Amino acid sequence: MSEFIDNQSKKQEVLKGLIKRLHEGQTVDEVKAEFAKHFEHVSPTEISTLEAALIREGMPVEEIQSLCDVHAEVFKGSIEEIHAPREEHQIPGHPVGTFIKENRAIEALIDKKLLPVLGAYEFEQSQANKNALQSILNQLRQIDIHYARKENLLFPIMEKHDITAPPKVMWGVDDEVRQELKGIALQLEADENINYIIDAIHETVHKIKEMIFKEENILFPMVIDTFSEEEWLEVLEGSDEFGYLIEPPIKIWQPNMGKETKPLEQPFGAPDVDNKLIKFDAGVLTPEEINAIMNTLPLDVTFVDANGLVKYFSQGEERIFPRAKTIIGREVSNCHPPASVHIVEQIVEDLKSGRKSHEDFWIKMGEQFVYIRYYAVRNSEGTYLGVLEVTQNIKPIIALEGEKRLMTD
């Protein structure tokens, strides 16, 4: 039959059929044998296309996710043959190299610490063994840092390149690992079913190791083939925000900005035909979006520039202090009664001079409890740009108790 599989679309259809057969209950060995009969290799792109096709046909991501470990087991040998570690994986400081170093640290934690301590605990449920197991499980739960960096830095760029299925499936499995580790910790703390705890740890460890395989043999080759140097720089610059499982990398790697990059379609919605996008440190917005966002904030915002002139104020639905557009361009000292002008001037002077970075007040106004904060606004070089006043009725906030985890009907 393999001679008839002469193009990519047919090959993907056969792969899709194998996954569906697994879902319908055939054994892994049966599917592996069929796979070996028809295919020599399978690439990460083919897996991505396969999963995307299943999603488009209506298969829930959760169902594909439930097969994810089986995918890796079925495809493992073929992928390993054609996806040896590449040069980019080894460059010190490259995001992929950092991810791989973390994977080695995760494997070492599991194999050299967790499993030996788990064996000791299985043999004797002493308090010392329990404490040791809890400590190592707490360390393993830091895998959330690795997953969060992957999900928040790699996945968004993949989606801009229309690679959507792998992020959905991988994120789902990541969340399963998080929840399972949390559940194991709670069970262990409560001294619940010991056999359940032991089995759950082995199952979760297997899932973690399969995810390591998928990252290094499917995800990383895929993104290295796809991302531009500028995009890798975005990943690098965003990594510190989420942290690392290992010592922060020494950033030896530098992007080759002269390398030809793959242009993307406008990633921020409709094309900006009027060239009115305002660029920020993190993202771009149109003036209409900026105005609407500021007026949607549940607080009043007023900005006084470096010359002491009122330059802007928001116009939300729930105003605390009345503002009229006639104050735009007015000296801020003239916007207050003579008796309080000296206070306003002192606040501005303290913020402008750097003696303070902010000043706070809170007052009762009828049924409201109003929180007023003044911030010095400076650019990235420390140059003073003005004062931002933020005013909010915090009475509903300080009245909150307990938790709300469900949506309101």
Side-chain angles (χ1 to χ4, degrees):
M1 180 179 175
S2 60
E3 62 268 24
F4 298 105
I5 304 175
D6 55 1
N7 60 58
Q8 190 70 10
S9 61
K10 290 182 180 179
K11 190 174 183 181
Q12 289 169 354
E13 283 300 310
V14 175
L15 285 171
K16 184 170 63 176
L18 292 175
I19 295 295
K20 287 186 174 180
R21 285 170 54 192
L22 281 168
H23 180 64
E24 290 166 358
Q26 291 198 18
T27 67
V28 174
D29 286 340
E30 287 175 318
V31 175
K32 286 179 69 174
E34 192 71 14
F35 179 82
K37 178 180 178 182
H38 295 298
F39 300 94
E40 294 183 2
H41 305 302
V42 59
S43 73
T45 301
E46 288 170 328
I47 293 176
S48 172
T49 303
L50 166 64
E51 292 180 338
L54 291 172
I55 291 171
R56 285 195 301 271
E57 290 179 5
M59 181 178 287
V61 172
E62 292 78 10
E63 292 188 17
I64 298 174
Q65 177 182 317
S66 69
L67 300 173
C68 203
D69 289 333
V70 181
H71 291 183
E73 184 62 31
V74 171
F75 299 139
K76 184 175 291 183
S78 178
I79 295 174
E80 285 177 330
E81 290 174 11
I82 60 175
H83 290 290
R86 295 173 47 167
E87 180 182 352
E88 292 94 330
H89 295 183
Q90 313 304 321
I91 300 174
H94 190 283
V96 170
T98 302
F99 276 118
I100 290 177
K101 284 184 179 179
E102 287 185 338
N103 281 341
R104 299 293 80 77
I106 293 167
E107 289 172 338
L109 179 65
I110 290 172
D111 294 335
K112 297 181 180 179
K113 293 185 178 181
L114 177 61
L115 294 182
V117 169
L118 179 62
Y121 179 71
E122 186 174 6
F123 179 75
E124 179 185 0
Q125 285 87 57
S126 67
Q127 188 62 44
N129 285 340
K130 176 181 175 180
N131 291 344
L133 185 57
Q134 286 177 317
S135 175
I136 296 171
L137 283 171
N138 285 336
Q139 293 178 53
L140 186 57
R141 288 181 69 182
Q142 295 300 304
I143 199 171
D144 177 64
I145 296 172
H146 177 95
Y147 288 166
R149 221 169 58 252
K150 173 179 67 175
E151 294 156 357
N152 289 278
L153 297 176
L154 299 186
F155 290 178
I157 299 176
M158 293 173 70
E159 288 158 7
K160 291 176 184 177
H161 287 279
D162 293 325
I163 303 173
T164 57
K168 289 179 181 178
V169 176
M170 279 192 169
W171 202 325
V173 176
D174 291 350
D175 278 345
E176 285 182 359
V177 170
R178 291 180 175 107
Q179 292 303 315
E180 288 169 12
L181 288 174
K182 180 180 179 181
I184 291 167
L186 292 173
Q187 294 280 337
L188 187 59
E189 178 65 30
D191 287 319
E192 297 285 341
N193 188 315
I194 302 302
N195 290 331
Y196 167 82
I197 292 172
I198 293 169
D199 290 344
I201 290 175
H202 282 295
E203 182 178 336
T204 304
V205 161
H206 174 75
K207 194 169 290 187
I208 289 170
K209 289 191 172 185
E210 289 295 344
M211 179 54 71
I212 288 174
F213 169 81
K214 296 184 196 86
E215 287 181 357
E216 296 186 9
N217 294 279
I218 299 174
L219 176 66
F220 298 153
M222 185 185 297
V223 293
I224 282 178
D225 285 343
T226 305
F227 288 9
S228 69
E229 294 290 275
E230 290 88 346
E231 287 165 336
W232 280 121
L233 183 59
E234 287 181 28
V235 175
L236 184 68
E237 291 175 342
S239 293
D240 289 347
E241 179 79 15
F242 298 93
Y244 307 89
L245 284 179
I246 56 177
E247 287 296 315
I250 300 172
K251 293 183 174 62
I252 296 175
W253 175 78
Q254 292 292 328
N256 176 13
M257 303 307 270
K259 176 182 175 181
E260 182 179 352
T261 61
K262 300 177 182 180
L264 291 174
E265 296 297 325
Q266 171 57 258
F268 306 105
D272 180 35
V273 295
D274 296 325
N275 195 29
K276 291 181 179 178
L277 288 176
I278 310 299
K279 295 183 180 180
F280 295 90
D281 289 343
V284 297
L285 295 168
T286 65
E288 180 184 26
E289 290 170 335
I290 296 168
N291 191 60
I293 288 169
M294 297 303 293
N295 289 340
T296 302
L297 292 174
L299 39 83
D300 290 348
V301 174
T302 303
F303 179 66
V304 177
D305 71 11
N307 297 315
L309 303 178
V310 179
K311 198 166 185 179
Y312 167 82
F313 64 88
S314 61
Q315 296 178 290
E317 291 184 5
E318 298 182 14
R319 300 305 311 251
I320 295 174
F321 296 117
R323 294 277 192 273
K325 294 180 182 178
T326 52
I327 70 168
I328 300 298
R330 191 181 186 194
E331 290 272 359
V332 67
S333 58
N334 293 336
C335 297
H336 296 79
S340 62
V341 167
H342 68 288
I343 298 175
V344 174
E345 291 177 342
Q346 186 63 55
I347 292 171
V348 172
E349 179 56 33
D350 287 346
L351 297 176
K352 186 174 184 177
S353 67
R355 196 172 80 84
K356 295 180 180 178
S357 60
H358 67 90
E359 182 69 69
D360 303 342
F361 300 90
W362 47 95
I363 58 176
K364 292 182 178 180
M365 293 177 55
E367 295 298 316
Q368 295 183 322
F369 189 35
V370 180
Y371 193 26
I372 310 167
R373 312 194 76 183
Y374 297 93
Y375 296 90
V377 178
R378 303 181 187 279
N379 65 16
S380 59
E381 283 144 15
T383 303
Y384 174 79
L385 301 179
V387 176
L388 186 70
E389 179 193 75
V390 180
T391 306
Q392 184 175 15
N393 174 25
I394 62 170
K395 186 175 180 179
I397 298 174
I398 61 179
L400 294 175
E401 293 181 347
E403 295 182 342
K404 179 182 184 294
R405 293 177 175 267
L406 300 176
M407 293 176 60
T408 303
D409 291 335

